Amino acid sequence: MTMNPHSFRKKILVADDNPAVIETIFQYFNDTRQPYELLNACNGSIAYQVAREELPDLIILDWEMPMLSGLEVIGYLKKQEETRHIPIIIATGAQIEDRNLEEALETGAIDYIRKPFSRIELLARSKAAMRMSALHQREKILLQSVIDAQNRELSTIALQVAQKNELLDGVVKKLQPIASKDNAIKSYLKTLQNGLSLDNQWDKFKLHFEKVHPHFFARLQQNYPVLSPNELKLCAYMKMNLSVKETMQILNISKKGLETARYRMKKKLNLKPKDDLPKLMQQF
């Protein structure tokens, strides 16, 4: 099967209210050996819309544009999960002081270029920005794969604890009718009931959890001090992206019980019924 070379083309959005600047930048990229898919926008509002729809590999933004400025566009894009990773070069012929460079970088631009710029400078900075972004994305993927593996290990530990307690609980229920008639069985029963205490097991789990997700509980309690210990546990399981079935097994509750627990949490946190609680936990 022959691969279409155009499927590997980098997509670049150029936003400037001066058509001559867009034409020049397009010419620079078209003159290279590497094919690019070039997009354009004549104001900040259109640039924002195109960026969200097309998800380009690079955006070159003019600082001063109608509708939205370049910095405003960056601010909006960095707030969106699907666009915050896009590398953005801010270009300007007016804001050329060092403080402007600092402002652009603090807003979220990956680089800053002063007009007029040469072909070599623009292409070099653009390629460097895309390389840096690609490396950063690979690092994020690798890091996420490590976190996913650690979360799977955590979920295994939590499930083992749940299964152990379920087994002990079954044994306790069978021994209770005869415990009053036999002191030895009564003693064994007390030992088993002590083993059912989850506090010690939770402390061990929490230590492992905080190695994977540092300061999760501190940040969560700082924002939501009303959460109970059991609700904090539920938050941890949501942070780990455990399925509904796995969470039910660990907490030893029904699906209805889990739904009720989540509903109560939303109410306590002043969230709307449609708000995504697991997604909220990913922010901590």
Side-chain angles (χ1 to χ4, degrees):
M1 180 178 174
T2 304
M3 300 299 293
N4 182 358
H6 294 294
S7 62
F8 297 103
R9 292 194 305 175
K10 293 287 186 182
K11 193 182 292 185
I12 298 173
L13 168 62
V14 181
D16 200 298
D17 58 338
N18 185 342
V21 172
I22 294 178
E23 185 178 352
T24 299
I25 294 175
F26 273 30
Q27 190 61 52
Y28 287 165
F29 282 106
N30 284 327
D31 286 344
T32 64
R33 293 180 180 179
Q34 184 175 347
Y36 293 98
E37 182 178 346
L38 301 172
L39 311 168
N40 69 86
C42 61
N43 63 54
S45 179
I46 294 174
Y48 174 66
Q49 292 173 18
V50 173
R52 291 197 63 188
E53 291 170 5
E54 298 291 338
L55 301 178
D57 298 286
L58 174 68
I59 302 174
I60 301 173
L61 275 180
D62 185 27
W63 187 306
E64 292 185 336
M65 289 187 292
M67 307 295 287
L68 294 173
S69 71
L71 293 193
E72 287 175 320
V73 174
I74 294 174
Y76 286 130
L77 292 176
K78 294 303 175 183
K79 289 178 183 177
Q80 303 292 325
E81 182 67 31
E82 67 273 17
T83 56
R84 65 178 53 167
H85 69 281
I86 301 173
I88 300 172
I89 296 176
I90 198 84
T92 181
Q95 287 77 13
I96 57 174
E97 303 295 328
D98 288 343
R99 60 183 174 82
N100 301 130
L101 167 61
E102 184 179 9
E103 184 182 3
L105 295 178
E106 285 181 352
T107 304
I110 197 171
D111 202 354
Y112 174 99
I113 188 168
R114 294 177 174 90
K115 296 178 181 179
F117 41 77
S118 69
R119 174 181 178 276
I120 292 175
E121 181 185 17
L122 178 71
L123 294 178
R125 286 177 180 269
S126 298
K127 289 176 182 178
M130 287 187 282
R131 278 196 300 269
M132 285 176 61
S133 178
L135 281 172
H136 181 61
Q137 288 303 306
R138 281 198 290 271
E139 286 174 1
K140 280 183 68 176
I141 291 169
L142 284 172
L143 178 60
Q144 188 59 51
S145 66
V146 171
I147 291 174
D148 288 343
Q150 291 172 327
N151 277 336
R152 285 194 295 272
E153 186 179 349
L154 281 171
S155 64
T156 299
I157 293 170
L159 283 167
Q160 286 172 347
V161 171
Q163 289 164 358
K164 183 214 74 170
N165 282 290
E166 187 179 356
L167 177 63
L168 289 179
D169 187 52
V171 174
V172 165
K173 286 177 180 176
K174 288 181 180 179
L175 290 177
Q176 280 174 336
I178 57 174
S180 59
K181 301 175 184 178
D182 190 315
N183 287 334
I185 293 177
K186 191 174 184 179
S187 176
Y188 295 147
L189 183 60
K190 188 175 181 180
T191 302
L192 287 172
Q193 286 172 325
N194 289 336
L196 275 169
S197 172
L198 289 174
D199 291 340
N200 186 41
Q201 295 291 347
W202 170 253
D203 288 341
K204 289 180 181 177
F205 173 83
K206 191 175 177 183
L207 282 173
H208 288 291
F209 179 89
E210 291 194 319
K211 288 179 182 177
V212 182
H213 305 288
H215 313 301
F216 172 78
F217 292 109
R219 287 194 293 265
L220 193 59
Q221 287 179 294
Q222 185 178 3
N223 283 270
Y224 303 113
V226 295
L227 290 172
S228 69
N230 283 334
E231 287 168 339
L232 288 172
K233 292 176 185 179
L234 180 55
C235 290
Y237 301 144
M238 286 188 280
K239 177 69 174 177
M240 291 162 54
N241 285 319
L242 293 187
S243 67
V244 170
K245 185 178 180 181
E246 288 171 327
T247 306
M248 287 163 49
Q249 284 181 292
I250 292 170
L251 296 176
N252 194 26
I253 58 176
S254 65
K255 186 176 181 181
K256 179 71 175 176
L258 180 58
E259 289 172 351
T260 301
R262 288 189 175 187
Y263 173 78
R264 286 174 179 166
M265 274 186 65
K266 286 182 180 181
K267 208 168 182 181
K268 189 182 280 190
L269 303 181
N270 295 318
L271 300 175
K272 297 176 182 177
K274 290 184 178 180
D275 286 338
D276 192 329
L277 201 53
K279 190 175 181 179
L280 175 64
M281 291 304 116
Q282 299 308 315
Q283 298 175 16
F284 291 93

